[in-house]
Every structure is written in C-alpha cells, then in structure tokens.
Amino acid sequence: MTAPADFLDSFFALPAGSFTGTANGRSYSVTRLAMAGGKSHKLVAHERGGAEYISMNLYLTDQSGALLRPCEMPAAKVVRFVLALVPDS
C-alpha cells in the first residue's frame, strides 16, 4: 500500500527513538526507528497494561514512493493508529 500523505505527515512528526503516547484512549510504549540512511523506517507500539500491538515498516523508494508494510495486521489499523497517536509531553 502506498502511504497516504496525512499518514506520512503524522508519522514523521513523531519523535525518533522510544517514547510513550496515547491513541484512541489507550496508552502505548512506542519505538520509531530510521534505518538504511532514512530510506526504511520501523514503528512498534505496545499498549501499556493491555494486549494491543502495532508493528509496521515504511520504505521510501524513488520509483514507488512511500510503501507502508504493516506486520500481520491491516494497513487501515496502522494508519488509524498513527493518525491518532499523540506523544506524551
């Protein structure tokens, strides 16, 4: 799936590294990593005190654009999560 522009804006606004945040009324521990000189990105989120889990990879390519690759979950779930995620201050 090609990542939507609003998803990309929200994703790249998230802090790099590990942080906590809230999405859809739930608290998460989140890690966002950049790899391969910024051409590959990974996000993993674990619900604090719960069972919810989000995992995805994002590949930035010259020919295909921004490719969103969720890990064993629907892309729509990942997009909703990232759009709703607000890092704790």
Side-chain angles (χ1 to χ4, degrees), residues 56-78:
M56 53 136 297
N57 293 294
L58 179 67
Y59 303 102
L60 305 178
T61 68
D62 291 335
Q63 290 186 332
S64 299
L67 302 177
L68 174 60
R69 298 292 185 253
C71 301
E72 300 184 18
M73 63 192 60
K77 179 178 180 175
V78 172

Side-chain angles (χ1 to χ4, degrees), residues 24-45:
N24 305 311
R26 296 176 175 177
S27 180
Y28 290 85
S29 294
V30 183
T31 301
R32 182 174 81 82
L33 301 171
M35 300 166 287
K39 293 185 181 220
S40 175
H41 298 267
K42 180 162 190 71
L43 182 132
V44 176

Side-chain angles (χ1 to χ4, degrees), residues 7 10 16 20 27 35-36 41 47 66 69-71 76 78 80-81 88:
F7 168 86
S10 294
T20 58
S27 180
M35 300 166 287
H41 298 267
E47 182 184 6
R69 298 292 185 253
C71 301
V78 172
R80 279 192 308 271
F81 174 79
D88 296 337

